[in-house]
């Protein structure tokens, strides 16, 4: 695709702008993009800049962080502003320390705050069954709380069958 400005070089910068519901696309070569933007266009995608833009975005009130609130990790001394700059946590304790501030961001990016991971279809049989057992145990507890003992008994029997299947694998 050629640059919309000079019509000579290949477009490497692609911008989309929405104005009053109307979509405008602009495709520029590097030189025209620098000239148009005053040379401030960054050459490489940056994870820290990506996180910073999400954290400063006002689309979701919980995601907008106050970086000067003094919260600091007890283990490594990392702060939210350092996370904003680097896009990384200092240690595993940071996730717990900044949980309240970071969870809305993680939920927005990942769709969930619990890491589930992927299981290979060919070799992940045991893992898949163990996850199913875990889910059934949660349902069993819920059934017991609701005093649905017949349903709980069925779930218990299913769990026993799956656990036996795991032991045979």
């Amino acid at each position: 695709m050629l640059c919309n400005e000079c019509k000579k070089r290949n477009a490497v910068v692609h911008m989309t702008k929405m104005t009053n519901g109307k979509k405008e696309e602009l495709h520029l070569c590097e030189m025209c993009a620098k000239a148009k933007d005053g040379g401030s266009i960054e050459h490489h995608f940056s994870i820290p800049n990506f996180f910073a833009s999400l954290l400063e975005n006002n689309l979701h009130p919980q995601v907008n962080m106050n970086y000067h609130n003094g919260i600091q990790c007890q283990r490594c001394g990392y702060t939210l502003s350092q996370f904003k700059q680097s896009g990384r946590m200092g240690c595993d304790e940071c996730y717990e320390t900044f949980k309240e501030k970071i969870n809305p961001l993680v939920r927005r990016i990942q769709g969930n705050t619990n890491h589930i991971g992927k299981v290979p279809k060919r070799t992940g049989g045991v893992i898949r069954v163990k996850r199913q057992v875990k889910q059934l145990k949660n349902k069993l507890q819920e059934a017991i709380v609701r005093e649905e003992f017949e349903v709980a008994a069925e779930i218990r029997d299913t769990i026993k069958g799956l656990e036996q299947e795991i032991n045979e694998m």
Side-chain angles (χ1 to χ4, degrees):
M1 175 180 294
L2 289 178
C3 173
N4 292 136
E5 294 288 317
C6 69
K7 309 260 192 266
K8 295 176 184 174
R9 293 177 289 277
N10 283 332
V12 293
V13 176
H14 308 278
M15 294 185 269
T16 304
K17 181 179 176 182
M18 294 293 287
T19 309
N20 296 327
K22 183 182 175 192
K23 182 177 173 181
E24 297 177 42
E25 291 185 352
L26 186 60
H27 308 282
L28 302 171
C29 66
E30 189 173 354
M31 292 176 66
C32 291
K34 283 182 181 178
K36 189 169 195 70
D37 196 46
S40 69
I41 290 182
E42 296 181 27
H43 293 281
H44 300 288
F45 175 76
S46 164
I47 293 293
N49 289 343
F50 172 69
F51 281 130
S53 69
L54 286 174
L55 294 172
E56 291 171 350
N57 192 341
N58 289 324
L59 292 176
H60 193 287
Q62 288 180 314
V63 176
N64 191 16
M65 293 187 188
N66 178 6
Y67 293 102
H68 306 291
N69 62 4
I71 297 175
Q72 190 173 17
C73 177
Q74 294 295 319
R75 185 184 294 167
C76 69
Y78 221 66
T79 64
L80 284 172
S81 59
Q82 287 173 306
F83 170 71
K84 177 187 172 191
Q85 291 171 347
S86 69
R88 297 181 179 158
M89 293 292 179
C91 68
D92 61 330
E93 184 68 27
C94 288
Y95 290 97
E96 194 59 38
T97 302
F98 306 126
K99 184 178 185 177
E100 181 182 316
K101 298 286 186 179
I102 301 250
N103 272 354
L105 171 66
V106 173
R107 189 174 294 111
R108 184 171 167 202
I109 295 171
Q110 298 290 332
N112 196 342
T113 56
N114 295 325
H115 177 72
I116 298 170
K118 293 183 179 179
V119 179
K121 288 184 179 180
R122 280 189 242 157
T123 59
V126 174
I127 296 170
R128 205 175 349 267
V129 174
K130 284 183 180 180
R131 283 189 183 168
Q132 187 178 0
V133 168
K134 185 177 178 181
Q135 290 172 344
L136 286 171
K137 285 182 178 180
N138 289 337
K139 286 183 180 180
L140 176 64
Q141 290 302 316
E142 291 171 8
I144 291 170
V145 168
R146 290 189 310 263
E147 297 181 4
E148 296 174 347
F149 299 114
E150 295 84 12
V151 174
E154 289 176 16
I155 295 171
R156 179 203 60 209
D157 295 342
T158 305
I159 290 172
K160 283 183 181 179
L162 290 173
E163 286 175 340
Q164 184 176 356
E165 187 180 319
I166 291 170
N167 292 333
E168 293 172 0
M169 289 182 167

